[in-house]
Amino acid sequence: MPSALGRSAASCSAPHMRVLYAVSVTRAKLKDAIDYIELASLNFDQWNLSVSLRQYRGDEVEGMVQLVFPLVTGFRYLDEGDMLSYPFPEDAIRSYYHEIHEEGWYSQEQEYGNVVSNDCREFVIATMNECVCILTSHDPTLIEVEGV
């Protein structure tokens, strides 16, 4: 299956990276051993948005994951305190991402007449300190970065 990186999931087997999800899911739950995540970096290259997340167990970094969102229509980063009326799922910070189906940023932009694409989907990455909303028509790929 082609991944968001333009290679098949099997060919993305560099010794330091492992594809965890390359299929459609509405949320990707944190591993049981992980207490929380935080945003490490964002990189947008005109087509793909890559989001690196640090995984913590207690106060210790347990590793990193990278989410790759292909063919992004738009994204926004905000402090979690600036998104108090956003429709977060109850367990939002216990997942790497969630798909938002209504009342999110995409719905707001449609109301304002800014987004005309009907095949857009909205994903949100929520941590205790920041949130990233992503508009795309494709599923993200979740890659575990080993040896961090």
Side-chain angles (χ1 to χ4, degrees), residues 15-144:
H16 60 288
M17 292 175 30
R18 182 172 41 139
V19 173
L20 295 181
Y21 298 96
V23 295
S24 177
V25 291
T26 57
R27 70 178 178 169
K29 292 183 99 179
L30 298 180
K31 293 181 191 177
D32 289 336
I34 302 301
D35 294 324
Y36 64 96
I37 56 173
E38 76 175 0
L39 185 70
S41 69
L42 289 169
N43 181 48
F44 181 63
D45 69 5
Q46 190 176 6
W47 295 284
N48 297 319
L49 177 67
S50 298
V51 181
S52 297
L53 302 167
R54 278 188 209 92
Q55 303 179 102
Y56 286 87
R57 184 175 192 169
D59 291 333
E60 299 292 320
V61 175
E62 284 291 313
M64 291 187 71
V65 295
Q66 185 176 42
L67 291 165
V68 180
F69 294 87
L71 302 173
V72 170
T73 301
F75 68 94
R76 70 177 183 176
Y77 165 92
L78 290 170
D79 184 273
E80 90 290 350
D82 294 325
M83 295 185 68
L84 298 178
S85 64
Y86 191 81
F88 288 107
E90 196 170 300
D91 61 346
I93 63 171
R94 292 295 310 149
S95 298
Y96 294 109
Y97 66 86
H98 284 268
E99 184 169 0
I100 303 298
H101 298 284
E102 56 188 36
E103 298 182 14
W105 180 42
Y106 177 62
S107 296
Q108 291 173 345
E109 292 300 330
Q110 278 189 312
E111 283 179 31
Y112 299 140
N114 294 331
V115 177
V116 295
S117 175
N118 289 328
D119 66 344
C120 249
R121 295 162 57 200
E122 180 176 352
F123 294 92
V124 64
I125 299 167
T127 74
M128 292 187 294
N129 297 313
E130 57 264 326
C131 300
V132 181
C133 298
I134 302 104
L135 301 180
T136 180
S137 57
H138 294 77
D139 294 311
T141 297
L142 178 60
I143 302 166
E144 184 174 40

